[in-house]
Amino acid sequence: MTRADHILLGQVLTLDDAGTRAEAVAIADGRVLATGSRQAMLELRGPATQVRDFPGATLIPGFNDAHAHMDSIGTRQLRPSLEGARSIEDVLARIGALAARTPKGEWIVTLPVGDPPYYFEAPATLREGRLPNRHELDRVAPDHPVYIPAPGGYWGQPPGYAAMNSLGLRLNGITRESAPASLNTVIEKDADGEPLGIFAELGFVNVLEPDLLPAVPRFTYAQRRAGIASAMDLYHRAGITSIYEGHGSAPEVIAAYREMWERGDLTMRTAMTVSPRWRDAGEAAIAMRDWSPLLRGRGMGDAMFRVSGVFIAHGGDPCVRAIQHRELDYMGWSGYVQQVNSTEEFEYLCELAGQYDLRVHTVVSDKLDRIVPVMERLARRYPIGERRWVLEHISRSLPGDLAALRRLGVATTLIPAQYLWKHGRPFLRVDPQALDYLSPARQLSELGVPVAAGTDSVPYDPLFCMWAMTTRRERTTGRVMGRGGMVSNDVALRLVTRAGAWLTFEEGEKGQLVRGHHADIAVLSGDPLAVEGDALRDLSCSATMVGGRWVHGER
């Protein structure tokens, strides 16, 4: 008889098809050996078995964040925070303290002004209702270039504001004649037309740095690797054991993950997709041809690290593309390369991917009605369902398009907190019945479309994601964004745990606490199926296990 390495006692939600509950789980060689009663599992104890009792807790399969942006959270850990500053003088005191311990001439680059993780209405969090200007920053750091960046538009809600002192402006060549390439960037000026050192970014995509600020330090490869390591710990603390980065990751980011994997330092099961740096269709054809031996089908890697397929964007601002092409290496906070493609360009690139058996991953947003016809045409030539192409980040949808997804067999992901809570306000004008189909978790689940949910990193909390799916409450008004779209706690929990395995062909390996599956477990403070409404957000994760190894809590 195989003896267990670990026996964990507590309420166990196996999330198998029958919804089986157990009193304990036994683990051997990094996989689930069995689940059942406490007595039955304790009979599998051997001389070296470690037994842990979690009274009052609930053990579930580890969360699988289907749109994680973990490396983005990592880069945010690398810069000094201005959190808690409530006036310009508070900000200046922080900058002055940094200047006192930074060698003269070196850059001081902080996190944005405001309250993380969203930085909503950041200037309003300061008493003066604005950021410090160049002259105020000069007063505390005359010998250092200083830059306070704007938060990413996707972190919270545009606009975002940045500030820079006189030395920083000079190093970047910013003068009264400087003109942004994008209409979404504003250089604030004084009465004489001179730059004040304050910039506004009105769009969701940050283009200020690649457009106007070439001298601002970029994240290095070593910094990105260090950021991933710190963010991995934060995600484990939230009970996350797997991430899927289908939005695409730049080569340096993939390389950083791969190095950690090769060294044995990667404790997060990580699935990635290439964010390409091609400039046109010709370069795309060459790249796909050369990548296909490694990235076709299920790609390369193992159960801890895997890269497959390519991200191809649909839509976007041509001005953003022009700025990106001037500095293709620039990734900023995002960790991926901005793409902009018309529907025609998108279809051509997807056709190339189909020829080379490369899985396509694309962010849909509210353009599902434009993308579905493209997928239907491609499905006549390529088995895109069998290859598990993924349509991500679905917001608005129509019943006919969802039915088409069922016929196509493609996989889907949703970001409920993004569209239902954080950025729900623009959808308040939508017909109430149409709101049922905003972030349509219920409809996709009932249709049998493979669907998983992700956090989008703000916040990186799967329990918050579950809360958004079950309550569908908009952030500023509290309005329910379509009662017909609400899902049960059980469906929501499966979408943030078990469902993500389908995205990586691993539904037989992880996502359930059943014999033979990876022993990936989150220990929650309560039963996520037994609480309602806001109580979901009050639950916490006390311990996390990946492959039979504690990565948070019980170490």
Side-chain angles (χ1 to χ4, degrees):
M1 177 188 295
T2 302
R3 297 297 177 181
D5 300 322
H6 299 270
I7 296 174
L8 310 182
L9 308 175
Q11 179 175 223
V12 178
L13 303 182
T14 67
L15 295 193
D16 63 5
D17 292 342
T20 305
R21 290 174 179 255
E23 297 177 332
V25 54
I27 297 159
D29 298 323
R31 294 182 181 262
V32 175
L33 177 61
T35 59
S37 68
R38 293 169 68 98
Q39 182 58 41
M41 295 303 99
L42 288 172
E43 289 176 2
L44 298 173
R45 181 169 40 186
T49 302
Q50 296 183 12
V51 179
R52 296 286 188 275
D53 197 350
F54 296 97
T58 301
L59 283 64
I60 66 168
F63 291 116
N64 188 341
D65 192 338
H67 201 96
H69 287 288
M70 192 174 78
D71 59 286
S72 175
I73 290 295
T75 52
R76 296 180 216 180
Q77 312 307 308
L78 303 177
R79 289 179 171 171
S81 174
L82 300 177
E83 182 179 1
R86 291 293 177 260
S87 67
I88 287 176
E89 285 305 317
D90 287 347
V91 174
L92 296 179
R94 304 277 186 94
I95 299 298
L98 291 169
R101 59 178 185 265
T102 302
K104 288 185 179 181
E106 289 190 9
W107 276 91
I108 295 173
V109 183
T110 68
L111 285 169
V113 163
D115 297 323
Y118 313 109
Y119 298 91
F120 291 136
E121 307 294 338
T125 63
L126 299 183
R127 186 179 306 122
E128 298 81 358
R130 64 172 178 85
L131 268 61
N133 61 38
R134 63 190 293 183
H135 308 295
E136 292 162 330
L137 291 169
D138 291 346
R139 197 170 76 233
V140 295
D143 301 316
H144 300 78
V146 176
Y147 179 51
I148 302 172
Y154 293 104
W155 298 11
Q157 188 74 35
Y161 293 86
M164 182 171 279
N165 69 350
S166 296
L167 180 54
L169 293 174
R170 186 162 66 251
L171 291 174
N172 284 285
I174 301 296
T175 68
R176 63 186 300 140
E177 284 77 31
S178 298
S182 171
L183 295 177
N184 284 328
T185 301
V186 177
I187 302 174
E188 296 190 6
K189 298 181 180 180
D190 62 20
D192 296 323
E194 293 294 332
L196 276 169
I198 297 175
F199 306 87
E201 293 211 71
L202 309 181
F204 280 92
V205 179
N206 291 109
V207 294
L208 173 61
E209 290 175 30
D211 183 19
L212 294 173
L213 306 179
V216 170
R218 282 25 176 171
F219 291 116
T220 66
Y221 172 77
Q223 287 175 320
R224 290 194 181 275
R225 187 181 59 216
I228 291 167
S230 63
M232 190 163 58
D233 180 65
L234 295 175
Y235 277 58
H236 284 326
R237 290 174 182 273
I240 300 171
T241 57
S242 293
I243 60 171
Y244 165 79
E245 304 287 24
H247 48 73
S249 299
E252 295 93 324
V253 175
I254 294 176
Y257 273 102
R258 176 167 182 150
E259 181 178 341
M260 295 178 67
W261 169 59
E262 290 172 340
R263 291 182 174 184
D265 297 331
L266 189 65
T267 58
M268 182 70 71
R269 299 192 191 277
T270 302
M272 311 192 78
T273 300
V274 172
S275 174
R277 283 206 176 101
W278 56 53
R279 293 178 181 273
D280 53 39
E283 289 187 5
I286 294 170
M288 289 196 211
R289 179 199 67 193
D290 292 345
W291 294 343
S292 61
L294 292 176
L295 302 183
R296 68 186 301 160
R298 301 187 185 191
M300 57 149 291
D302 63 10
M304 286 305 301
F305 173 77
R306 183 166 296 279
V307 185
S308 70
V310 61
F311 177 83
I312 301 176
H314 177 273
D317 182 354
C319 183
V320 171
R321 174 164 57 185
I323 292 170
Q324 177 74 72
H325 281 185
R326 280 194 266 134
E327 190 181 349
L328 272 179
D329 287 343
Y330 178 81
M331 296 176 285
W333 303 99
S334 69
Y336 58 84
V337 182
Q338 291 292 338
Q339 284 187 42
V340 175
N341 295 303
S342 67
T343 300
E344 293 73 21
E345 291 169 326
F346 172 75
E347 183 165 358
Y348 176 75
L349 293 170
C350 288
E351 170 73 30
L352 285 175
Q355 292 175 20
Y356 289 110
D357 188 18
L358 290 169
R359 297 176 70 202
V360 169
H361 314 248
T362 190
V363 168
V364 173
S365 188
D366 61 350
K367 304 298 190 297
L368 187 62
D369 59 335
R370 300 185 190 180
I371 289 177
V372 162
V374 175
M375 295 294 113
E376 289 179 319
R377 288 192 290 272
L378 290 164
R380 297 181 192 129
R381 298 188 291 280
Y382 309 105
I384 65 174
E386 293 177 17
R387 294 176 181 177
R388 300 193 187 182
W389 287 27
V390 188
L391 303 186
E392 307 181 46
H393 237 294
I394 298 173
S395 61
R396 294 181 66 176
S397 62
L398 295 171
D401 291 330
L402 299 186
L405 297 183
R406 176 69 180 89
R407 293 193 302 272
L408 292 168
V410 296
T412 58
T413 71
L414 301 176
I415 316 296
Q418 174 85 282
Y419 297 116
L420 299 172
W421 178 76
K422 186 169 58 176
H423 294 152
R425 191 161 189 168
F427 299 107
L428 291 172
R429 300 185 296 271
V430 172
D431 178 86
Q433 288 185 325
L435 276 181
D436 290 350
Y437 286 83
L438 178 66
S439 192
R442 177 174 179 174
Q443 291 78 5
L444 289 168
S445 297
E446 291 177 349
L447 283 169
V449 176
V451 55
T455 69
D456 207 17
S457 82
V458 186
Y460 55 90
D461 181 358
L463 292 164
F464 190 98
C465 184
M466 286 184 61
W467 170 83
M469 278 188 276
T470 56
T471 64
R472 296 178 68 91
R473 288 211 298 268
E474 194 272 328
R475 173 174 60 90
T476 62
T477 64
R479 177 178 166 184
V480 174
M481 305 294 279
R483 292 190 179 277
M486 288 180 172
V487 298
S488 66
N489 286 24
D490 180 70
V491 170
L493 181 60
R494 289 169 184 269
L495 263 58
V496 295
T497 53
R498 176 177 171 176
W502 180 265
L503 302 171
T504 51
F505 300 88
E506 295 177 289
E507 63 272 18
E509 295 286 320
K510 67 181 182 182
Q512 303 174 64
L513 296 184
V514 298
R515 183 178 176 85
H517 272 227
H518 293 299
D520 299 347
I521 299 172
V523 181
L524 303 185
S525 58
D527 184 347
L529 302 185
V531 298
E532 296 182 358
D534 292 346
L536 267 174
R537 296 170 61 177
D538 295 331
L539 297 179
S540 60
C541 176
S542 62
T544 307
M545 173 180 278
V546 176
R549 171 187 172 191
W550 293 111
V551 294
H552 160 58
E554 297 284 322
R555 301 194 191 188

